[in-house]
């Protein structure tokens, strides 16, 4: 194991774990400070999660919603990048441990994001498709396309229906947006490409544990979203609590079973496990419990931000969304600057920028500054916000071209199964070669 020692210059070394919204915001804020910033990420790219579901629904290419970290850092002269996974943090020794490095720091900003929460539902971790990373989205897209390929030549009607039933667990923004995009994919381009399929065999099922979708929005917007989803042919089950998932479908608390080869889990989120493996103080949602200044208790040189940190405002934890991460990244960096000038860090003040969710083409809901918007106007707002927040001029242009293609011509730009071996599990399963083995379950991820 090599030891990456402190910079021999007198400049302080700030290490940021995670090149997501929070980590990049911190690095940008430190750009002109007399520090050396090192960003570490397990991926060499930044992901714009808000459009992951469009990659899974074959609407956008993966590279259109991601951007190389090194290219982003070109404009930040005091920042460098190291690709790798941080496995453990030794807070007392001020050292990060990676597979082949030990990195020392003077200040540390933890922005490692979040992971899926399964609430102990039996079989969920093994059998569902997640939608948290670019890898997840590509695996899901491949699987959906493989199911369609298989269904077209499947003689058994029951197996065919299972292949064509897509169950989404979780009626929050990601579940709602993915259900809408998937329904449009199925009713539009897919039916043109697979003329032998019977459209009535295709089901998009949205399972929501509570009694409304988008529960964080006002009731008028929730009701609008529900009606709109149902008008699109999506079967929305409210108060439908998943109790078990197998490779053949989802069991619900009321005893019913939804047969499906594709169960997508968008129901829960928790802080990244790095917090627990490093012995950091965590709240019930697996996030690091921080002081109002975003510092980790007992370690004034360590900050936790974004999805990785738990901070409450008015008795509620800040949401797992990009605005808190961006604002906290800037605030943590400013506090480090203050510490360098021997001033006390300031408490973080969150400014809520509102919520947005799209429900298929030309419809969305928005709650901004306590004002409610729905329908086409909200959708235009949604488009503008997402284009504005995408990193890279090229990505913005490509996404707008793909959207125009989709929204105006009712066509999807990409429907390639890559790599082609992705379909092997669907084929083997359907031909009865595989039973519900751990190997099969794992290979879905
Ligand atoms: C499908 C989906 C849709 C979403 N839609 C929206 C939306 O519409 N609007 C919105 O505001 N928010 C949305 N979010 C949430 C938003 O993306 C997150 O809240 C935001 O990304 C949090 O920023 P962050 O910097 O804390 O973490 P992230 O952006 O997740 O970045 C964390 C980074 O840390 C890296 N990392 C993690 N662990 C390690 C490790 N051990 N070693 C090295 N690197 C590590 C990861 O690779 C990642 O790059 C969505 C999230 C998902 C999954």
């Amino acid at each position: 194991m090599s030891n990456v020692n402190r910079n021999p210059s007198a400049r302080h070394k700030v290490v940021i774990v995670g090149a997501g919204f929070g980590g990049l915001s911190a690095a940008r804020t430190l750009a002109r400070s007399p520090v050396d910033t090192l960003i570490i990420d397990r991926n060499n790219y930044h992901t714009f999660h808000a459009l992951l579901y469009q990659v899974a629904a074959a609407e956008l290419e993966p590279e259109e919603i991601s951007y190389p970290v090194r290219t982003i850092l070109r404009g930040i002269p005091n920042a460098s990048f190291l690709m790798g996974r941080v496995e453990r943090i030794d807070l007392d020794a001020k050292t990060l441990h990676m597979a082949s490095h030990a990195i020392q720091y003077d200040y540390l900003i933890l922005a490692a994001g979040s992971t899926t929460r399964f609430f102990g539902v039996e079989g969920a971790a093994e059998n569902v498709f997640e939608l948290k990373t670019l890898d997840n989205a590509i695996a899901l897209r491949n699987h959906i396309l493989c199911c369609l390929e298989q269904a077209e030549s499947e003689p058994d009607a029951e197996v065919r229906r299972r292949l064509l039933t897509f169950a989404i667990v979780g009626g929050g923004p990601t579940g709602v947006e993915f259900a809408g995009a998937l329904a449009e994919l199925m009713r539009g381009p897919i039916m043109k490409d697979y003329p032998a399929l019977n459209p009535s065999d295709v089901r998009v099922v949205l399972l929501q544990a509570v009694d409304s979708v988008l529960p964080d929005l006002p009731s008028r917007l929730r009701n609008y979203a529900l009606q709109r989803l149902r008008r699109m042919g999506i079967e929305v089950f409210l108060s439908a609590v998943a109790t078990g998932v197998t490779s053949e479908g989802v069991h619900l608390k009321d005893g019913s079973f939804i047969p499906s080869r594709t169960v997508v889990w968008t129901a829960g989120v928790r802080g990244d496990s790095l917090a627990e493996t490093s012995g950091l103080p965590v709240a019930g949602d697996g996030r690091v419990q921080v002081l109002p200044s975003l510092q980790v208790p007992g370690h004034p040189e360590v900050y936790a931000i974004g999805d990785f940190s738990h901070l409450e405002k008015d008795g509620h934890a800040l949401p797992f969304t990009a605005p808190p991460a961006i604002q906290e990244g800037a605030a943590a960096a400013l506090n480090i600057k203050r510490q360098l000038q021997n001033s006390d860090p300031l408490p973080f003040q969150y400014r809520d920028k509102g919520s947005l969710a799209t429900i298929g083409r030309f419809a969305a809901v928005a709650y901004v500054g306590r004002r409610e918007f729905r329908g086409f106007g909200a959708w235009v707002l949604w488009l503008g916000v997402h284009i504005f927040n995408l990193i890279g001029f090229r990505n913005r242009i490509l996404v707008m071209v793909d959207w125009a293609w989709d929204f105006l011509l009712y066509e999807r730009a990409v429907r390639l199964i890559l790599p082609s071996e992705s379909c092997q599990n669907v084929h083997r399963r359907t031909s009865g070669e595989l039973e519900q083995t751990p190997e099969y379950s794992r290979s879905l991820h």
Side-chain angles (χ1 to χ4, degrees), residues 425-443:
N425 285 324
V426 176
H427 289 310
R428 289 167 71 202
R429 179 102 199 118
T430 307
S431 64
E433 269 181 52
L434 278 167
E435 278 315 312
Q436 196 183 332
T437 61
E439 288 73 25
Y440 174 67
S441 304
R442 273 200 298 275
S443 63

Side-chain angles (χ1 to χ4, degrees), residues 12 100 191 199 203-204 219 232 262 290 311 316 326 379 388:
H12 284 85
S100 55
M191 284 307 137
R203 293 175 72 194
V204 177
S219 62
M232 293 172 76
T262 313
V290 290
L311 187 67
H316 297 284
I326 294 167
W379 183 74
F388 178 78

Side-chain angles (χ1 to χ4, degrees), residues 333-390:
L334 288 172
N335 275 345
I336 290 175
K337 286 191 197 181
R338 289 180 65 83
Q339 284 178 291
L340 290 172
Q341 292 159 358
N342 295 320
S343 300
D344 287 336
L346 296 174
F348 170 66
Q349 305 289 344
Y350 174 58
R351 292 179 308 283
D352 188 353
K353 297 207 166 171
S355 306
L356 285 165
T358 179
I359 316 140
R361 186 184 280 120
F362 306 140
V365 287
Y367 187 52
V368 184
R370 298 199 171 277
R371 294 186 63 195
E372 299 175 19
F373 305 89
R374 56 187 187 168
F376 186 72
W379 183 74
V380 172
L381 182 65
W382 180 92
L383 281 188
V385 167
H386 284 73
I387 288 292
F388 178 78
N389 284 305
L390 263 175

